[in-house]
Amino acid sequence: MKLKSLSLILLVAVAFTACKPKDSFVIDGKFENPGTEKKVFLYGMQNSNMVAIDSTNLSEKGEFKFIRKTPSVDFFRVSAGNHEFMLIAKNGDQIKLEADLADKALAYKISGANEVEKLSELNTIRNDFAKQAEKLQGEFESKVASQPQNRAAILEQMKPQYESYINQLNDKILKFAKDNKGTLASFYAMNTLSPQEFEAELVQFSDEIKEEIKGNATVDTFVKQMALLKAVQVGQPAPAFTINTAEGKPVSLSDYKGKYVLVDFWASWCQPCRQENPNVVKVYNKYKTKNFDILGISLDTDKAAWLGAVKADGLTWTHTSELKDFNGETVRKYQVQAIPTSYLIDPNGKIAAKNLRGDQLDAFLAKTLR
């Protein structure tokens, strides 16, 4: 009897294992407090974009299930109304997703596969930051409520603490990506960082993973983009270009050889650009007689708006534009993904610095132009 019982247990165990689909993955989900939400959607990656690939109804208990196939490990997203939950899955995974749709922070629990458990670790890091930021926001609103006339001063006073939280979060994300290199979770983590602030780190990360995470369309696209960015990193020769002024006069980067030149990509409609312009004017007036110049490249498509902003902001250096938004040849050559973006080119035509703002640009030039 004992032998038969043991055999029966083993047979059941084998049968249970055999029932797990190896050619597809399963997402078993449960939502607490779904409210009026009845439908759940599953999104998958296609051409680097998330598109709906399946849907189902929530049960009375808030439960749902998806069974899908994927060519390789990839990103997926479960959505219910305005609630979105990122997942990573491959065939054979048995993933469990739990969330409370009444939770404003959109925190969720995922388990059942290595990649999703790594993603869960990352979510914990980000959720801890969200709690700190929410607490700080509450303190700010409380202080402003009692001293509305001092709002700007209170904001300035609390800003360093918020920036400290941001820096801590970024450090933890970088460490997470380093510790989990070779996983899609590490790739996802790196792509939560500011692409302008962490461009060099993203380029380096791309070099490190291009062989480790091969065949995923999203990663392959990222690697190609970073390869293009690598060509415009600090220390690289600045790509040559010729671009026209508003009067049709051609201006080439080579015209500035022997000088430090700030190639400034901006637009009249870009508020951060317009806010930075007074700092650029100040630096230009301070160093224009010390082997320093500026070349403005506008992403405007409206010529009148572009020239109107040049005049209104008192920008007295040379200005050019292809009037093609982000689609201009020079803009693409310098991999401009957002503005303001600037490149400081040295007298030998190499990129000396990128995206220096305000006091940073002043300090760099003060040290360099002696």
Side-chain angles (χ1 to χ4, degrees), residues 38-197:
K38 302 296 181 186
K39 201 88 171 173
V40 184
F41 293 87
L42 179 66
Y43 287 75
M45 295 299 297
Q46 290 184 13
N47 299 320
S48 298
N49 292 309
M50 280 284 184
V51 297
I53 58 173
D54 205 348
S55 65
T56 189
N57 294 318
L58 279 174
S59 73
E60 291 182 0
K61 294 181 179 180
E63 296 172 335
F64 63 92
K65 177 180 281 193
F66 290 111
I67 301 176
R68 295 289 302 187
K69 295 182 179 182
T70 178
S72 62
V73 60
D74 212 341
F75 293 102
F76 297 88
R77 188 178 74 216
V78 172
S79 298
N82 295 323
H83 308 272
E84 298 180 343
F85 308 97
M86 184 65 72
L87 301 171
I88 299 172
K90 67 180 186 302
N91 291 337
D93 285 350
Q94 296 271 333
I95 298 168
K96 188 174 183 180
L97 165 64
E98 298 175 282
D100 184 347
L101 298 193
D103 181 10
K104 293 180 181 179
L106 298 182
Y108 61 107
K109 295 179 182 178
I110 43 177
S111 60
N114 179 61
E115 284 278 11
V116 293
E117 285 170 8
K118 292 297 181 185
L119 192 58
S120 183
E121 289 179 32
L122 177 63
N123 287 341
T124 299
I125 293 170
R126 298 178 69 194
N127 289 339
D128 287 345
F129 164 75
K131 289 175 183 176
Q132 289 177 315
E134 187 178 1
K135 182 180 178 182
L136 191 63
Q137 179 67 24
E139 291 174 10
F140 170 72
E141 290 173 357
S142 178
K143 288 182 179 180
V144 170
S146 61
Q147 307 172 56
Q149 72 280 7
N150 295 329
R151 188 181 192 283
I154 295 169
L155 180 63
E156 198 63 27
Q157 180 188 15
M158 300 186 73
K159 187 177 177 182
Q161 191 174 353
Y162 179 75
E163 290 176 345
S164 174
Y165 287 160
I166 288 284
N167 291 335
Q168 290 174 44
L169 173 64
N170 289 338
D171 288 344
K172 288 179 179 178
I173 287 174
L174 287 167
K175 184 178 185 304
F176 173 89
K178 182 179 178 181
D179 292 345
N180 295 284
K181 203 170 293 175
T183 67
L184 278 188
S186 71
F187 170 76
Y188 178 73
M190 288 298 292
N191 279 271
T192 65
L193 298 170
S194 164
Q196 282 190 303
E197 187 178 350

Side-chain angles (χ1 to χ4, degrees), residues 196-197 199-201 203 226 228-239 260 334 342-346 349-356 364:
Q196 282 190 303
E197 187 178 350
E199 185 179 287
E201 288 84 354
V203 169
M226 292 302 107
L228 294 172
L229 268 176
K230 193 172 183 179
V232 286
Q233 293 299 294
V234 171
Q236 295 295 318
Y260 278 91
Y334 276 77
S342 63
Y343 288 82
L344 184 63
I345 315 300
D346 73 14
K350 288 190 174 182
I351 299 170
K354 292 178 68 171
N355 295 322
L356 296 177
F364 186 95

Side-chain angles (χ1 to χ4, degrees), residues 155-344:
L155 180 63
E156 198 63 27
Q157 180 188 15
M158 300 186 73
K159 187 177 177 182
Q161 191 174 353
Y162 179 75
E163 290 176 345
S164 174
Y165 287 160
I166 288 284
N167 291 335
Q168 290 174 44
L169 173 64
N170 289 338
D171 288 344
K172 288 179 179 178
I173 287 174
L174 287 167
K175 184 178 185 304
F176 173 89
K178 182 179 178 181
D179 292 345
N180 295 284
K181 203 170 293 175
T183 67
L184 278 188
S186 71
F187 170 76
Y188 178 73
M190 288 298 292
N191 279 271
T192 65
L193 298 170
S194 164
Q196 282 190 303
E197 187 178 350
F198 291 93
E199 185 179 287
E201 288 84 354
L202 287 165
V203 169
Q204 181 182 341
F205 180 77
S206 170
D207 277 344
E208 293 169 349
I209 68 163
K210 62 185 178 184
E211 295 300 327
E212 292 184 14
I213 313 177
K214 213 171 184 179
N216 179 280
T218 306
V219 175
D220 290 346
T221 299
F222 168 78
V223 168
K224 289 176 184 176
Q225 289 174 339
M226 292 302 107
L228 294 172
L229 268 176
K230 193 172 183 179
V232 286
Q233 293 299 294
V234 171
Q236 295 295 318
F241 63 85
T242 299
I243 189 169
N244 288 342
T245 65
E247 296 75 31
K249 178 186 175 183
V251 178
S252 299
L253 179 61
S254 58
D255 297 340
Y256 294 87
K257 191 172 182 180
K259 284 185 173 184
Y260 278 91
V261 57
L262 184 73
V263 180
D264 184 29
F265 294 91
W266 72 294
S268 66
W269 45 260
C270 168
Q271 285 306 309
C273 303
R274 304 294 295 274
Q275 290 166 6
E276 181 64 17
N277 276 345
N279 294 324
V280 184
V281 169
K282 181 180 176 182
V283 166
Y284 178 69
N285 290 334
K286 185 175 180 179
Y287 296 102
K288 64 183 179 181
T289 60
K290 298 181 179 180
N291 206 38
F292 172 72
D293 209 338
I294 298 176
L295 174 61
I297 300 180
S298 169
L299 275 67
D300 279 286
T301 56
D302 183 332
K303 185 176 180 180
W306 161 39
L307 297 179
V310 169
K311 184 177 180 180
D313 292 359
L315 313 181
T316 56
W317 48 86
T318 300
H319 288 275
T320 61
S321 180
E322 292 159 318
L323 297 172
K324 292 183 179 179
D325 198 62
F326 285 90
N327 299 311
E329 182 181 346
T330 306
V331 174
R332 286 182 170 179
K333 192 174 283 189
Y334 276 77
Q335 295 300 302
V336 178
Q337 304 295 325
I339 51 177
T341 287
S342 63
Y343 288 82
L344 184 63

